[in-house]
Amino acid sequence: MDIVINNLTKTYGPQKAVDGISFNVKTGEILGFLGPNGAGKTTTMKILTNYIKATSGEVTIDGKLVSENADELKKHIGYLPEHNPLYLEMPIMDYLWFCAELQGVHKSNIPGRMGEMIRLCGLNAEKHKKIGELSKGYRQRVGIAQAMIHDPQILILDEPTTGLDPNQIVEIRELIKKLGEEKTVILSTHILPEVEATCDRILIINNGKIVADGTSATLRKQAQGSEVLQVRIEDGQLDAVFQGLQQLYSTEVVDIKNREKQLFEIQSVKEVSSAKEIFKLCVKNGWTLLEMTPLETKLEDIFRDLTLN
Amino acid sequence: MNAIWTIAKKELSTFFDSLVAYFLLTIFLFLCGLFTWFILSDVFLTNQASLRTFFFWAGVLLMVFIPAITMGMLAEEKNTGTIELLLTKSVSDRQVVIGKFVACFLLVVIALAFTLPYYFTVAYLGNIDHGATICGYLGLILVSASYISLCLFASSITKSQIVAFLLGLVICFFLGFVFFFLSMQTNGLISEVFQTLSVRDHYESIARGVIDTKDLIYFLSLTTIGILLAEVSITNR
């Protein structure tokens, strides 16, 4: 099911939490929602699930307006809210049963779905405990299990991996990736490597506005524009090598990073790679090329660039 | 319909899992028994095979008992944030309120069912008016439905259970006592308005065995108003 968000705005008093954002998510796509605290991620997710109403703009799922067809559409959405609220006094099994029944899972299918969720989320050892007796990580697993119990077409997960241990994080990421092949997934997170590892597409929002939209590769290209190489060349005079590199047609900026190791950072002219020329230069002068590493702009840097001003 | 029953079932089982229900039921039955059989104008003092004392005191005790069972219904969900999870499931706001109403109502009906032995005992002791007794129970059930729905509204406008309890108590006392006293203090049209608003006259006439449409409409409209107000209040989030 495709989600189309059109010019969505939500104001709380004078403050605009979400400011005219528009984007689409297609079936089989995992969209990572990034942004600093208070950027409007959670507000957007609450509007998508029809928990709160937008001030203006519209959300359609499968061509139907969420605000008008909520009762029908909510059946197809699995939602994990921020802070993962749960009924602490309820046993896990009762809680999952309750959620399945509310989401309209047929009675004869509930035990099967529950078994599946308990296996997928690794809850087997704890399944007879009350939710209040569980640690934070296990509660998070219960939160994920209740979101997926009815096998929804759309998954909306607000920070799904908080409180999980590293092994569990990997498992949940794998699970989300697998689900994302057939379903529509939107997840928000603060953990940047997580977005890169799981999401097909990244959306960065800041102050309620979309500041970047694309795959991690396209975002990098946008931010960087030109290639940056770290190069180590020996068996030549530092100054001679430096000048040789600077005179190359394809290099824009050459920096000496470490004089003793003869380490350089070279930024190429836009859209051109300087790697071949550097190699040929070394061969011509009989220098030894010890290292040539392309430096990628980290997602962290892109994020900081886009959200700090 | 299914969703309403699912929610009601869950609330009831939470009641009985957490001992709250047992505690409240015990106190309610203890005090009902005390007032009916031992204190003030009890059955033995009036020397009549009638449960009128019981119906009076049960009505009074429900004013405290009902706010106590409804206080957490929506306030606690709002406080912990579970209401977000509940309302984003495939249920409407109204189904949630009605589901909670049904759970509380069933708990009150269970409490009242435990007082049936009083009826059998008095019937054994003397010649009881069966019709009036059945009407008395019907009256209690109608009063309870009104109190529950209005107390649910009280629970829907705050995040604090204590505030919800006190607010529910105030609502019940206004309907049960204050309007009646105001109608005694005033006269003319104002007095009549207060009298109509007060539960007392409607309840007493049903408890006497007179089932008037006017009284039924009174209780059913209070119940509907409470449920609708609670729904509006959780829809405005």
Side-chain angles (χ1 to χ4, degrees):
Chain A
M1 289 180 149
D2 296 357
I3 305 174
V4 180
I5 286 135
N6 192 10
N7 210 8
L8 198 68
T9 301
K10 175 75 185 175
T11 49
Y12 290 110
Q15 198 191 358
K16 277 191 174 172
V18 175
D19 191 359
I21 66 171
S22 309
F23 62 92
N24 307 347
V25 198
K26 290 191 214 69
T27 311
E29 192 170 38
I30 304 176
L31 180 77
F33 224 33
L34 277 179
N37 291 323
K41 296 175 302 231
T42 299
T43 307
T44 309
M45 290 186 154
K46 284 184 175 173
I47 295 170
L48 288 184
T49 53
N50 199 45
Y51 180 63
I52 52 175
K53 297 251 179 291
T55 310
S56 68
E58 54 196 32
V59 181
T60 54
I61 294 177
D62 209 19
K64 291 175 194 131
L65 273 178
V66 169
S67 49
E68 279 165 22
N69 304 284
D71 287 343
E72 185 202 335
L73 291 172
K74 279 195 281 187
K75 266 198 176 65
H76 304 293
I77 300 177
Y79 178 43
L80 173 69
E82 196 188 19
H83 309 313
N84 188 24
L86 296 165
Y87 297 112
L88 300 183
E89 72 283 4
M90 266 181 116
I92 298 176
M93 301 294 265
D94 291 5
Y95 179 62
L96 291 181
W97 188 285
F98 171 67
C99 292
E101 223 173 76
L102 274 188
Q103 293 289 37
V105 180
H106 194 267
K107 266 222 170 72
S108 57
N109 296 333
I110 295 179
R113 286 299 303 164
M114 273 175 46
E116 172 100 9
M117 283 302 115
I118 293 222
R119 192 181 56 75
L120 273 179
C121 300
L123 284 166
N124 201 35
E126 313 277 324
K127 66 180 173 193
H128 295 297
K129 282 193 184 168
K130 283 189 177 180
I131 294 171
E133 294 164 5
L134 299 175
S135 65
K136 192 164 182 259
Y138 273 102
R139 284 185 200 180
Q140 193 70 18
R141 298 182 200 195
V142 175
I144 294 170
Q146 65 79 25
M148 301 191 304
I149 188 96
H150 55 298
D151 197 18
Q153 292 302 304
I154 294 168
L155 264 180
I156 297 178
L157 309 169
D158 206 346
E159 300 184 14
T161 54
T162 38
L164 300 179
D165 62 57
N167 295 335
Q168 187 69 28
I169 289 181
V170 172
E171 280 171 41
I172 292 296
R173 279 183 197 163
E174 290 297 312
L175 181 64
I176 292 172
K177 265 186 147 172
K178 216 176 93 201
L179 290 169
E181 285 164 13
E182 296 159 20
K183 307 198 160 138
T184 318
V185 182
I186 300 180
L187 68 89
S188 82
T189 179
H190 290 299
I191 312 162
L192 295 162
E194 178 161 295
V195 194
E196 285 210 275
T198 27
C199 301
D200 305 319
R201 210 172 113 208
I202 299 171
L203 204 71
I204 302 179
I205 69 171
N206 189 32
N207 291 330
K209 288 194 173 107
I210 295 178
V211 290
D213 182 356
T215 62
S216 60
T218 52
L219 287 191
R220 276 220 179 79
K221 231 180 200 163
Q222 263 177 27
Q224 204 168 29
S226 51
E227 179 194 66
V228 179
L229 294 172
Q230 178 171 293
V231 177
R232 197 172 155 195
I233 297 169
E234 271 184 12
D235 302 330
Q237 281 288 319
L238 184 77
D239 290 343
V241 176
F242 180 67
Q243 277 185 356
L245 287 172
Q246 264 191 331
Q247 279 159 8
L248 288 178
Y249 158 74
S250 61
T251 58
E252 175 100 26
V253 186
V254 180
D255 266 336
I256 304 175
K257 267 185 100 183
N258 189 326
R259 288 181 164 272
E260 274 159 40
K261 285 187 183 166
Q262 308 225 34
L263 202 62
F264 303 88
E265 198 173 287
I266 300 159
Q267 193 186 328
S268 72
V269 177
K270 274 203 171 157
E271 320 271 308
V272 181
S273 170
S274 54
K276 272 188 185 172
E277 269 202 321
I278 294 169
F279 178 74
K280 281 178 187 156
L281 180 74
C282 291
V283 172
K284 204 174 84 188
N285 294 306
W287 299 334
T288 314
L289 184 60
L290 279 177
E291 181 191 335
M292 186 188 284
T293 324
L295 291 181
E296 290 193 314
T297 313
K298 285 194 215 127
L299 201 55
E300 276 88 346
D301 296 332
I302 302 172
F303 183 78
R304 218 172 291 131
D305 270 4
L306 289 169
T307 56
L308 265 185
N309 29 41
Chain B
M1 198 60 217
N2 265 335
I4 292 174
W5 182 234
T6 305
I7 291 169
K9 252 187 344 198
K10 179 240 151 200
E11 291 300 337
L12 267 183
S13 72
T14 306
F15 267 138
F16 285 102
D17 278 349
S18 64
L19 295 177
V20 176
Y22 301 104
F23 180 71
L24 286 172
L25 279 178
T26 313
I27 294 203
F28 177 72
L29 291 173
F30 172 75
L31 291 176
C32 270
L34 204 65
F35 288 125
T36 311
W37 301 101
F38 301 109
I39 305 185
L40 303 171
S41 58
D42 62 70
V43 171
F44 301 112
L45 188 83
T46 53
N47 210 13
Q48 278 177 343
S50 147
L51 279 176
R52 296 208 55 169
T53 343
F54 162 71
F55 287 130
F56 174 73
W57 282 110
V60 174
L61 289 170
L62 284 175
M63 288 181 202
V64 185
F65 181 64
I66 286 174
I69 61 171
T70 52
M71 64 181 183
M73 280 290 148
L74 293 158
E76 187 61 11
E77 296 244 20
K78 284 173 78 167
N79 190 31
T80 58
T82 46
I83 191 134
E84 183 174 355
L85 212 51
L86 188 57
L87 294 176
T88 50
K89 300 263 181 260
S90 160
V91 289
S92 63
D93 298 359
R94 182 171 299 172
Q95 284 173 320
V96 169
V97 175
I98 295 178
K100 305 241 172 203
F101 172 84
V102 171
C104 296
F105 185 72
L106 287 177
L107 190 69
V108 172
V109 169
I110 292 169
L112 291 177
F114 277 113
T115 65
L116 284 176
Y118 303 170
Y119 169 43
F120 302 134
T121 314
V122 174
Y124 173 77
L125 289 172
N127 206 0
I128 196 169
D129 182 345
H130 294 286
T133 312
I134 291 165
C135 287
Y137 273 107
L138 177 70
L140 277 182
I141 283 172
L142 288 170
V143 172
S144 304
S146 321
Y147 286 172
I148 290 168
S149 77
L150 291 165
C151 287
L152 274 180
F153 166 61
S155 179
S156 73
I157 57 175
T158 170
K159 282 185 173 183
S160 153
Q161 295 204 45
I162 303 294
V163 173
F165 175 73
L166 293 175
L167 206 59
L169 209 58
V170 168
I171 292 173
C172 292
F173 269 90
F174 260 84
L175 287 173
F177 286 133
V178 179
F179 286 145
F180 175 70
F181 285 121
L182 286 175
S183 79
M184 303 280 278
Q185 300 299 320
T186 51
N187 41 38
L189 185 67
I190 303 171
S191 167
E192 261 180 58
V193 170
F194 282 129
Q195 205 173 350
T196 318
L197 283 175
S198 162
V199 162
R200 191 188 161 103
D201 270 16
H202 303 282
Y203 174 51
E204 297 246 300
S205 84
I206 290 178
R208 268 201 313 272
V210 187
I211 296 174
D212 193 336
T213 345
K214 201 176 67 192
D215 302 326
L216 290 179
I217 288 173
Y218 169 79
F219 286 117
L220 293 180
S221 46
L222 277 188
T223 311
T224 317
I225 288 169
I227 287 176
L228 288 179
L229 285 177
E231 185 196 343
V232 167
S233 138
I234 62 165
T235 305
N236 288 327
R237 51 195 174 234

